[in-house]
Amino acid sequence: MRSLRRRLLIWLLPAALLTGLLASAATYWGALSELNEVLNDQLKGIAQHVVVEPDGHLSLRGMQGANEDRLSGEQSHTVLLQVWRGTTRVFSTDRDSSMPPPQAAGFSDIEVNGQLWHTYVERNGELLVRIAQARRARWEAVAEIATALFWPVLSLLPVLALFVWFGIGYGLRPLRQIAANLKRRDANNMQAIDTAAMPVEVKPLVDAINDLLSRLDHAFTAQRQFIADAAHELRTPIMGLGLQAELLPKATGSHERDAITAQIRAGTARLAHLAEQLLTLARLGPESPAPVFSTVDLTALARGVVGDRVRYAEANEIDLGLVATGVVTTSGNADGLRILLNNLVDNAIRYAGAHARVDVIVSREDSCAMLEVRDTGPGIPEEDRARVWERFYRGDGHTSSGSGLGLSIVRRIAEQHHARISLGGGEDNRGLTVTLRFPRGRPHVVNVDEDKTSGTATV
């Protein structure tokens, strides 16, 4: 299992080591620059200590015994001193030095036998005094300084690792508290976690967890309500089927037996319809996967639904037809839109009453695809129009049986398609018109003759 503390430690310690190396490198180059200035001043100072006596002899103030010590200038703490008269060397602290005569006064770098020397030459009358030091000696001196600074940094790494380890553990304490809080809960406790004392870095995580808990609470509540409503709605047809099944063996004649059988068939059909609606509503739940959208021909879709429902309309003495002035397309899920239109048409046929007319209208208005189902039945009172979207609500005054789920399914599919749905009156304020306005898109209309498919049943 991966450890966040170990991961942070693996990142922080190399970063600290790299910082120490960079600091040492910066110290090295800074010290090199400063040391060069100091040593250059030293070269000048030594050159100024060379004095020519009146009798022509040299006097080296403060450097007695220098010649005997053989100061070669190849160590960081020594320099090479030479005195030249023209091209003749009259004095040198290192008799073995093969350095050529100086050409001019001032600072210069010369290479002798593959070794680079930094020199300073000062003119003293007819004499040229040269002070030289090997470049390598300077670099060694600076390296000693940088090494002396780097070792303390390296020795502090274990201490830093210890502090980082316990510091990260202390910083991760809020996460352990959140885990302990969630572990103590059961499935019914969806209360939000308090974020008042949470660090700002942990607060986004806690807010996301609280949002998830809120959505889970909403989903569980909706699921419990759905199960309770479904159990209530299923109880009535199941009890009815049970009673009819008990009465069937006790029937005294064929007429009574046929009546009971017809009621059993009707109850079975209603139960099957209710189960189908419940399954459809469950598939359209808020936590269900988003439907796959494609270009849908609403006119062809409506023509198919109307064609499938003609016989059912005839059996209920309903004039069912399609009104379309062109091929209208929109972006959507064809299966979902077919379920939506099936429910609207079924509701209209079921509640419009005998000899009513139901029209499915497909059109386009202001680049928006429009789908309407209009009937000439009793309609829905305005005070009930806000509640008909609720599950299992059927209103008062309806004699037709139904599940009360059709409009709930319609609204859910409309929400998935971001379509606006509204209820209004029919022609001359008679009946009901359900209107769906889909989001604005590119118009795609092919003008054709008006299509009117109708079916009228007679008694």
Side-chain angles (χ1 to χ4, degrees):
M1 182 176 62
R2 294 187 176 182
S3 169
L4 183 60
R5 176 185 289 183
R6 186 177 295 108
R7 183 181 300 179
L8 291 174
L9 193 64
I10 291 174
W11 277 99
L12 289 176
L13 287 184
L17 181 60
L18 179 61
T19 302
L21 291 175
L22 293 177
S24 299
T27 302
Y28 176 84
W29 291 111
L32 180 62
S33 176
E34 294 293 332
L35 189 62
N36 277 332
E37 293 183 6
V38 172
L39 294 179
N40 287 341
D41 292 339
Q42 183 185 30
L43 295 182
K44 287 183 180 180
I46 294 174
Q48 292 171 359
H49 279 73
V50 178
V51 179
V52 182
E53 301 292 343
D55 57 0
H57 289 86
L58 298 177
S59 175
L60 304 178
R61 291 180 298 182
M63 296 188 62
Q64 290 79 5
N67 192 38
E68 291 77 6
D69 292 340
R70 193 177 178 272
L71 304 179
S72 63
E74 296 185 3
Q75 293 80 30
S76 60
H77 60 280
T78 64
V79 295
L80 172 65
L81 170 61
Q82 292 180 338
V83 179
W84 294 78
R85 181 181 285 114
T87 59
T88 304
R89 188 177 68 184
V90 298
F91 178 80
S92 175
T93 59
D94 184 6
R95 296 186 181 89
D96 298 330
S97 174
S98 58
M99 195 171 293
Q103 301 297 322
F107 288 101
S108 64
D109 290 334
I110 61 176
E111 186 175 352
V112 179
N113 298 328
Q115 183 169 253
L116 185 63
W117 291 79
H118 184 66
T119 67
Y120 175 72
V121 178
E122 183 172 310
R123 184 174 294 278
N124 190 342
E126 62 178 359
L127 300 178
L128 291 176
V129 180
R130 170 191 282 163
I131 311 296
Q133 189 175 39
R135 277 285 188 185
R136 176 176 52 80
R138 292 193 173 193
W139 293 336
E140 289 175 356
V142 176
E144 292 176 0
I145 296 175
T147 303
L149 294 175
F150 174 71
W151 280 113
V153 174
L154 189 62
S155 63
L156 286 176
L157 277 181
V159 180
L160 178 62
L162 190 64
F163 275 96
V164 169
W165 181 267
F166 287 102
I168 293 174
Y170 179 78
L172 295 177
R173 182 181 297 177
L175 295 179
R176 293 195 295 270
Q177 294 174 348
I178 294 172
N181 186 321
L182 295 175
K183 191 174 182 179
R184 290 192 300 267
R185 298 188 179 199
D186 55 23
N188 297 320
N189 187 356
M190 295 294 172
Q191 185 178 0
I193 302 173
D194 185 19
T195 60
M198 291 292 172
V200 293
E201 293 82 4
V202 181
K203 192 173 182 299
L205 173 63
V206 180
D207 289 339
I209 293 176
N210 286 337
D211 180 65
L212 176 62
L213 291 175
S214 176
R215 287 186 280 117
L216 286 175
D217 184 42
H218 178 74
F220 288 162
T221 301
Q223 185 182 43
R224 287 192 294 267
Q225 184 65 36
F226 177 79
I227 293 173
D229 292 342
H232 179 269
E233 291 297 320
L234 289 171
R235 185 181 296 113
T236 301
I238 291 176
M239 289 179 60
L241 287 175
L243 290 174
Q244 298 299 330
E246 291 178 1
L247 293 175
L248 185 59
K250 302 177 182 179
T252 57
S254 59
H255 179 73
E256 184 178 358
R257 187 179 295 105
D258 292 342
I260 295 174
T261 303
Q263 291 181 355
I264 292 176
R265 289 175 179 172
T268 304
R270 180 188 174 192
L271 187 60
H273 177 70
L274 178 59
E276 181 182 357
Q277 294 288 71
L278 287 172
L279 290 174
T280 301
L281 192 60
R283 288 196 300 268
L284 296 173
E287 303 302 326
S288 60
V292 179
F293 280 20
S294 60
T295 301
V296 180
D297 184 351
L298 292 180
T299 305
L301 180 70
R303 184 180 292 111
V305 171
V306 170
D308 293 341
R309 293 296 185 274
V310 166
R311 292 184 179 276
Y312 179 51
E314 291 176 350
N316 288 272
E317 303 181 47
I318 298 294
D319 179 14
L320 175 63
L322 170 66
V323 178
T325 58
V327 176
V328 179
T329 63
T330 188
S331 178
N333 181 265
D335 294 335
L337 292 177
R338 184 175 292 105
I339 293 173
L340 178 147
L341 190 54
N342 279 332
N343 277 277
L344 289 179
V345 173
D346 285 346
N347 276 1
I349 294 174
R350 190 184 303 274
Y351 296 109
H355 308 296
R357 189 176 78 251
V358 176
D359 290 329
V360 178
I361 305 170
V362 182
S363 61
R364 185 176 289 275
E365 180 180 317
D366 297 332
S367 300
C368 293
M370 304 279 292
L371 184 62
E372 294 180 89
V373 177
R374 182 181 301 165
D375 65 68
T376 58
I380 299 176
E382 292 187 8
E383 59 271 16
D384 288 342
R385 290 179 182 175
R387 296 196 58 193
V388 294
W389 305 109
E390 299 176 7
R391 291 178 301 187
F392 304 109
Y393 181 79
R394 286 186 288 269
D396 299 328
H398 292 295
T399 58
S400 298
S401 61
S403 65
L405 296 173
L407 290 182
S408 297
I409 295 172
V410 167
R411 183 177 66 173
R412 176 58 186 158
I413 297 175
E415 291 174 349
Q416 289 181 340
H417 288 75
H418 304 286
R420 289 186 297 171
I421 186 169
S422 60
L423 301 179
E427 296 180 358
D428 301 328
N429 291 326
R430 293 180 53 203
L432 178 70
T433 300
V434 182
T435 303
L436 276 94
R437 179 186 291 268
F438 293 89
R440 186 185 302 274
R442 294 182 179 179
H444 186 81
V445 180
V446 179
N447 293 325
V448 296
D449 295 334
E450 180 175 299
D451 184 4
K452 175 71 175 180
T453 303
S454 63
T456 304
T458 58
V459 181

